[in-house]
Amino acid sequence: MVEIRFHSLGGQGAVTLIRMLAIAGDKIGKEVQAFPFFGAERRGAPVKSFARFDDARIDVRSQIYIPDFLVIMSPTLMDLGLSEGLKPDTVILVNEPLEDAKAKYKDINHTLLSVDATSIALELNLEVEGMPLVNIPVFGAISYATDIVPLEVVTEVIRETMGKKNMEVSMEAARRGFTSVLEVNGKAPARRRKPLPEVAR
Amino acid sequence: MSAKDKRKNVKAEAEIGFVTTISFPSVGSAGQTGSWRIFKPVKNEERCNECLLCWIYCPEACITKKLSINYDYCKGCGICAVECPRNAIQMVKEEKQ
Amino acid sequence: MKIIDTANHAVAYAAKLARVEVVSAYPITPQTQIIEEISRLIDEGIMDCEYIPVESEHSAQAALIGASATGVRVFSATSSHGLAYMHELLHWAAAVRLPIVMVNVNRAMGPGWNIWCDHQDAIAARDTGWIQLYCASHQECVDTLIQAFRIAEDHRVIMPVMVNYDAFVLSHTYMKVEFPEQETVDLFLPELDPMWKLDLDNPMTHGSVIYPDDYEEVRFSMQQAHGNARKVISEAAAEYRVIVGNYHGDLTEEFMTEDAEHIIVAMGSIASEAKMAVKQLREEGLACGVVRIRSYRPFPVEELQRVMRGKRTLVVIDRDCSFGLEGALFSDVKAASYGHSDARAYNLITGLGGRDITYGLLAGAVRAAVEGKAETVRWPALRLNEHHLASKRGVEAAWQGRQKRSAS
């Protein structure tokens, strides 16, 4: 099983993201499970979401405490994300420009990848009421970083689930997300990560 | 349950006592929520005519009646900017720390 | 048809497949998505159904009772306080013998205000006469809802059925669901053939005054209907397996119980998590198994007696508490296996108000019980955190302030 935990802010579109990720996982024949931890939904409040992929039926129903991949959709949530549990080989993907990430996360021992999804969203005018929709570029970046779902499947899911208005630009955002993943604490550009085998916790 | 909570679990059964749903008003019980912000509201003094709509609409009481914004707790929801009839509040991308 | 969606949306599509004719409901988190989706299907002409908007859950159930009495297939969905608000009419629907089917998305009761999962809402409605079924997966929600109409409408039963599943853990989680074709469902679930219905040509009334001389027999008949429902639930599951192909168990689902020495009993999604605990415990050398209760009322008495024979330990997980005693399921399982098992019985009350329970925690608690280190009734996930302490300090300060004022 591969488990991903997401930390995002209300309004960034994480719930849409995990839904599309689950649909993508199903398309490549995986059993999937995706859920947010719903609280009082407030724009700007931290939201946790979870996604599981497995070849066998998924019986686990609890949240993910030691994920294979940790996705931080706002740099302000890095400390929170790190404090909620990791394994030694968890790969972290943060939505932050490379230089900022390099300056800030010198003491993180995990493989740390960056994608500047906010800039991608702003460049493409992917906004909802002033808030950049970072979920789509992050979707592309996850495809690259985790290698669970290929980019073709990502764009296919976007084509099927997004409204006509934003479809083309969203597919472009996902492509840019895919090609913009950089390794923070290693030598850029990032290597692709094969999904890890069976998780023990 | 996180590892931190597991430590707290020790003897909790014996120590619970009178735990109820009563809560008391306090500032910042969710921490400094200003850190959640991506965009911050910035007031344009020249355009503002002190109508106080932003003061009324701010759901977090982060705008005082004297129209100063408390950035420690403002989460950058942007409601003040939307409600301001004179566009005197602009949401500006948070500067890098 | 296969979709990746929430259990709420899946259940809405299942209601359409069941050819529901009248829906009356009032929105409440975490159920709202069901009736939102149904009203969309009706509005877009995809579903041929009357939707009766009402101002409360009490009225929703009342409208269903009225509609059902005219001999049509009816459906509703509610949760938590909504279920509590219609409590009077739950008795009404069962006592007048109407085959109403309703989804209850299990949510904790407030205060403390809480939208997350536990079973307290349905447990509080336990003795209304409704058949209560509990699901543990998205697919089971769909399949159970379709079966529920068969069970409710069977002339040996004619009782309302409540299909329960867990808030958020299932209701808002995206997972795969496969739907049978409409013709397949029609084959399994024929048109409603009511034993009685309100009819202008053949006037009658229902729900009238009954004197002490007549009342007990009416209640005995309800008890008999539940007895018959045991058979009907199993038949429905078996026939559904043949026609549609899916099977989730009869009144119970058993997981690795055959060679088990220690049995975990649970309902709903936490029973699925308990399967993971069993796998872990077996790797550690403890022969454990899970009995998941699918039908809480009627209660699977014979099944539990058979499973529990010769077992060493019984651990019942309750997502509810019958205050002043113990977990409600624990009492029931002990009562059912009385005289049939010498197993030492333990109760875990946990997962209340959506507290996230991992299989690691369950495995640890079961191991402690097996090793005889646990108290009979345990709340294994308890912790005293900063919010509790702040509340305690505030109450303490308020109390001292009152003392001071009354002294001066």
Side-chain angles (χ1 to χ4, degrees):
Chain A
M1 192 189 304
V2 178
E3 298 182 300
I4 312 180
R5 188 173 71 225
F6 300 79
H7 292 267
S8 62
L9 300 176
Q12 288 188 313
V15 178
T16 311
L17 168 60
I18 57 164
R19 178 170 156 260
M20 292 196 295
L21 201 52
I23 294 171
D26 176 65
K27 276 189 190 296
I28 55 160
K30 297 276 181 198
E31 291 289 327
V32 292
Q33 183 188 64
F35 58 103
F37 177 74
F38 276 92
E41 278 89 344
R42 298 165 298 187
R43 270 166 65 88
V47 179
K48 263 190 292 183
S49 318
F50 312 90
R52 289 191 171 97
F53 303 85
D54 204 351
D55 294 324
R57 191 187 69 197
I58 299 171
D59 281 331
V60 193
R61 296 284 183 266
S62 53
Q63 296 174 16
I64 296 167
Y65 296 94
I66 45 166
D68 300 287
F69 297 97
L70 180 69
V71 179
I72 309 285
M73 289 173 64
S74 167
T76 52
L77 301 170
M78 183 57 105
D79 290 343
L80 183 70
L82 294 176
S83 71
E84 299 244 332
L86 290 176
K87 349 193 233 201
D89 55 356
T90 299
V91 175
I92 307 169
L93 173 69
V94 62
N95 165 24
E96 194 166 11
L98 182 69
E99 284 67 36
D100 298 359
K102 273 194 168 155
K104 272 161 69 183
Y105 310 124
K106 290 204 173 88
D107 50 349
I108 291 179
N109 292 322
H110 291 77
T111 303
L112 180 61
L113 308 175
S114 95
V115 59
D116 192 1
T118 308
S119 297
I120 295 173
L122 289 175
E123 279 164 24
L124 294 169
N125 287 323
L126 264 182
E127 280 184 35
V128 171
E129 289 172 17
M131 200 143 179
L133 264 184
V134 299
N135 57 352
I136 305 294
V138 168
F139 191 14
I142 289 170
S143 165
Y144 184 84
T146 67
D147 208 9
I148 298 171
V149 285
L151 183 64
E152 309 87 79
V153 179
V154 167
T155 49
E156 190 186 332
V157 171
I158 290 172
R159 191 183 308 119
E160 286 171 14
T161 52
M162 298 289 282
K164 273 216 172 69
K165 199 178 121 217
N166 274 335
M167 190 177 74
E168 284 300 329
V169 67
S170 295
M171 284 160 73
E172 177 57 24
R175 281 186 213 109
R176 288 197 199 176
F178 186 89
T179 52
S180 307
V181 181
L182 300 166
E183 193 153 342
V184 176
N185 46 8
K187 310 240 181 311
R191 292 187 308 277
R192 298 191 69 175
R193 304 278 153 181
K194 286 284 171 201
L196 304 165
E198 187 64 35
V199 180
R201 63 170 171 176
Chain B
M1 195 194 292
S2 72
K4 208 164 73 185
D5 290 329
K6 261 183 202 152
R7 290 196 293 277
K8 283 181 187 163
N9 186 20
V10 183
K11 296 260 160 53
E13 263 180 83
E15 289 170 6
I16 292 286
F18 188 71
V19 166
T20 179
T21 61
I22 299 166
S23 38
F24 296 85
S26 62
V27 175
S29 60
Q32 296 230 331
T33 49
S35 68
W36 302 359
R37 204 167 51 227
I38 294 181
F39 287 86
K40 68 192 260 182
V42 175
K43 205 171 104 210
N44 180 331
E45 302 292 347
E46 283 172 19
R47 296 186 76 104
C48 175
N49 67 351
E50 299 180 13
C51 71
L52 292 179
L53 273 177
C54 57
W55 168 70
I56 290 170
Y57 274 100
C58 176
E60 302 291 345
C62 282
I63 301 180
T64 66
K65 219 171 172 178
K66 290 191 172 159
L67 296 174
S68 81
I69 300 172
N70 184 340
Y71 289 112
D72 285 346
Y73 297 108
C74 165
K75 292 182 278 190
C77 71
I79 289 174
C80 52
V82 170
E83 294 300 335
C84 178
R86 289 172 62 89
N87 291 327
I89 298 177
Q90 287 222 305
M91 299 305 289
V92 178
K93 196 176 176 198
E94 194 67 38
E95 279 174 33
K96 287 158 191 161
Q97 297 155 357
Chain C
M1 186 185 70
K2 183 181 77 174
I3 59 167
I4 304 292
D5 214 330
T6 62
N8 278 349
H9 282 171
V11 153
Y13 307 141
K16 177 186 170 285
L17 282 174
R19 296 192 186 277
V20 166
E21 294 165 276
V22 174
V23 169
S24 178
Y26 189 81
I28 180 169
T29 301
Q31 164 277 123
T32 307
Q33 292 176 335
I34 305 174
I35 58 163
E36 269 176 359
E37 194 63 7
I38 287 180
S39 46
R40 183 183 70 81
L41 294 173
I42 295 172
D43 182 54
E44 293 179 4
I46 299 167
M47 186 171 172
D48 183 17
C49 177
E50 285 294 324
Y51 188 102
I52 308 175
V54 284
E55 87 295 356
S56 76
E57 285 87 355
H58 192 273
S59 301
Q61 189 59 241
L64 285 193
I65 289 168
S68 183
T70 66
V72 296
R73 190 170 283 159
V74 303
F75 174 74
S76 186
T78 192
S79 184
S80 184
H81 287 254
L83 187 69
Y85 194 18
M86 65 170 72
H87 188 88
E88 178 201 5
L89 290 156
L90 295 179
H91 286 276
W92 225 98
V96 90
R97 306 292 291 272
L98 291 166
I100 296 169
V101 172
M102 181 170 71
V103 159
N104 176 53
V105 182
N106 295 113
R107 164 186 152 181
M109 298 294 298
W113 215 235
N114 184 301
I115 56 171
W116 295 276
C117 170
D118 72 31
H119 295 162
Q120 197 76 26
D121 55 354
I123 294 292
R126 181 188 66 185
D127 299 333
T128 53
W130 282 61
I131 289 170
Q132 284 197 6
L133 309 177
Y134 287 77
C135 308
S137 72
H138 285 48
Q139 190 63 52
E140 191 182 4
C141 292
V142 167
D143 297 335
T144 304
L145 186 71
I146 295 169
Q147 288 171 27
F149 290 99
R150 260 285 289 267
I151 298 159
E153 293 164 7
D154 191 293
H155 284 198
R156 291 165 288 177
V157 180
I158 313 192
M159 272 289 186
V161 177
M162 188 188 297
V163 175
N164 292 276
Y165 61 85
D166 289 346
F168 297 102
V169 182
L170 295 181
S171 74
H172 285 63
T173 294
Y174 293 94
M175 282 187 87
K176 186 175 71 179
V177 190
E178 282 179 75
F179 292 97
E181 295 297 321
Q182 182 69 61
E183 302 81 63
T184 317
V185 176
D186 291 345
L187 205 62
F188 172 79
L189 183 64
E191 212 173 302
L192 170 61
D193 181 18
M195 192 180 271
W196 64 273
K197 63 173 184 176
L198 296 180
D199 180 0
L200 289 173
D201 299 327
N202 185 16
M204 66 173 92
T205 184
H206 64 128
S208 53
V209 173
I210 294 195
Y211 278 76
D213 268 353
D214 310 320
Y215 185 90
E216 240 172 67
E217 288 70 17
V218 174
R219 288 298 175 269
F220 181 76
S221 173
M222 287 167 67
Q223 173 75 339
Q224 256 186 343
H226 268 267
N228 296 343
R230 289 197 171 88
K231 196 160 174 261
V232 173
I233 290 168
S234 299
E235 283 174 14
E239 203 171 313
Y240 195 86
R241 169 142 69 171
V242 172
I243 296 176
V244 181
N246 299 336
Y247 177 73
H248 309 278
D250 291 358
L251 276 76
T252 60
E253 182 204 9
E254 294 179 25
F255 178 75
M256 300 182 114
T257 52
E258 267 180 25
D259 62 337
E261 293 175 31
H262 319 287
I263 295 292
I264 304 170
V265 180
M267 298 197 294
S269 62
I270 205 164
S272 187
E273 192 78 17
K275 287 183 189 173
M276 301 293 292
V278 162
K279 285 181 197 162
Q280 185 183 322
L281 287 163
R282 285 203 170 235
E283 275 172 25
E284 295 167 15
L286 284 186
C288 297
V290 178
V291 176
R292 179 170 69 83
I293 307 286
R294 287 192 72 226
S295 170
Y296 180 58
R297 286 293 181 273
F299 199 64
V301 176
E302 281 173 24
E303 287 84 346
L304 284 164
Q305 288 173 351
R306 180 178 48 73
V307 171
M308 286 312 299
R309 194 163 293 138
K311 302 292 192 250
R312 283 172 53 200
T313 320
L314 165 70
V315 179
V316 180
I317 305 169
D318 264 284
R319 255 189 134 145
D320 61 81
C321 179
S322 176
F323 299 109
L325 184 58
E326 58 201 8
L329 182 60
F330 185 50
S331 301
D332 291 346
V333 175
K334 281 191 300 180
S337 52
Y338 179 71
H340 294 263
S341 171
D342 296 324
R344 284 175 305 159
Y346 297 92
N347 191 194
L348 301 176
I349 298 180
T350 196
L352 303 190
R355 175 69 54 88
D356 193 51
I357 301 303
T358 60
Y359 61 83
L361 181 118
L362 293 179
V366 170
R367 173 175 281 283
V370 168
E371 290 169 353
K373 288 178 191 158
E375 289 161 44
T376 306
V377 180
R378 260 195 86 202
W379 297 56
L382 282 190
R383 60 206 185 212
L384 203 55
N385 69 19
E386 194 42 50
H387 293 140
H388 303 133
L389 294 171
S391 175
K392 278 165 86 99
R393 282 194 299 270
V395 171
E396 182 65 29
W399 166 244
Q400 278 168 2
R402 284 187 54 196
Q403 295 282 83
K404 221 182 259 174
R405 279 195 299 279
S406 65
S408 60

